[in-house]
Amino acid sequence: MSYNIMGNSMTSKWLQRFSQMAELVASWSKDPSTQVGAVIVQSNRVVSLGFNGYPTGISDSAGADSRDIKLLKTLHAEENAILFAKRDLTDCEMVVTHFPCPNCAAKIIQTGIISVYSPTPTNDFQERWGDKIAISQSMFTDADVTVTWI
């Protein structure tokens, strides 16, 4: 994996560490189809972690819910990381395993996170989610949130 982060505050060494951490955190998700991880950092210190899944106390037995119900119940990794931070996130950065959807982009912007680092989408991911990626990118641009593809 290469890291092209010219002009951003996080060094390649730290970005690699936080990307690996996001991948590990993603593996904690019980979702059999998509495991997503997010790491919020400030000054190379971990502020919060999150992975996608049902809220605490809600049964997430694999295959018990239809896809539509699962999507309604699931918290995204970015949301969980923001919720578990329980602090001001102004000037923090977020490293994710998948590019944020528009709903998560809105939350990232609203909390004051200034940078998002995400793997470059695969062709398959781009085909499935390209319209949502474009909306999120536009939102980040409008709000001056730096997006770095890794």
Side-chain angles (χ1 to χ4, degrees):
M1 196 181 292
S2 65
Y3 300 92
N4 181 7
I5 59 167
M6 305 237 350
N8 288 353
S9 61
M10 196 179 308
T11 65
S12 178
K13 176 176 74 172
W14 282 105
L15 180 56
Q16 182 176 15
R17 289 174 179 161
F18 295 133
S19 294
Q20 290 169 339
M21 184 177 290
E23 289 290 339
L24 174 64
V25 171
S27 74
W28 300 343
S29 171
K30 293 180 184 178
D31 189 322
S33 63
T34 306
Q35 295 182 317
V36 182
V39 179
I40 300 174
V41 300
Q42 188 170 44
S43 302
N44 295 331
R45 299 282 183 220
V46 174
V47 171
S48 188
L49 308 169
F51 56 90
N52 60 308
Y54 284 9
T56 303
I58 304 299
S59 174
D60 57 358
S61 301
D65 288 326
S66 70
R67 178 173 168 72
D68 289 340
I69 297 298
K70 181 185 92 166
L71 292 175
L72 290 172
K73 289 182 177 180
T74 298
L75 286 167
H76 289 190
E78 302 92 332
E79 293 172 308
N80 268 326
I82 288 167
L83 290 168
F84 283 116
K86 297 185 191 292
R87 59 161 274 193
D88 180 15
L89 298 176
T90 302
D91 296 330
C92 287
E93 300 176 283
M94 183 179 281
V95 180
V96 294
T97 59
H98 294 70
F99 196 69
C101 71
N103 287 332
C104 288
K107 292 170 181 118
I108 290 166
I109 292 164
Q110 195 69 10
T111 59
I113 292 172
I114 58 171
S115 298
V116 174
Y117 299 85
S118 174
T120 302
T122 63
N123 288 337
D124 179 57
F125 192 82
Q126 185 70 36
E127 285 175 24
R128 292 181 66 202
W129 305 108
D131 57 335
K132 289 183 172 48
I133 291 170
I135 293 168
S136 295
Q137 282 183 301
S138 176
M139 293 170 67
F140 287 142
T141 298
D142 290 349
D144 292 325
V145 173
T146 302
V147 172
T148 302
W149 298 105
I150 53 177

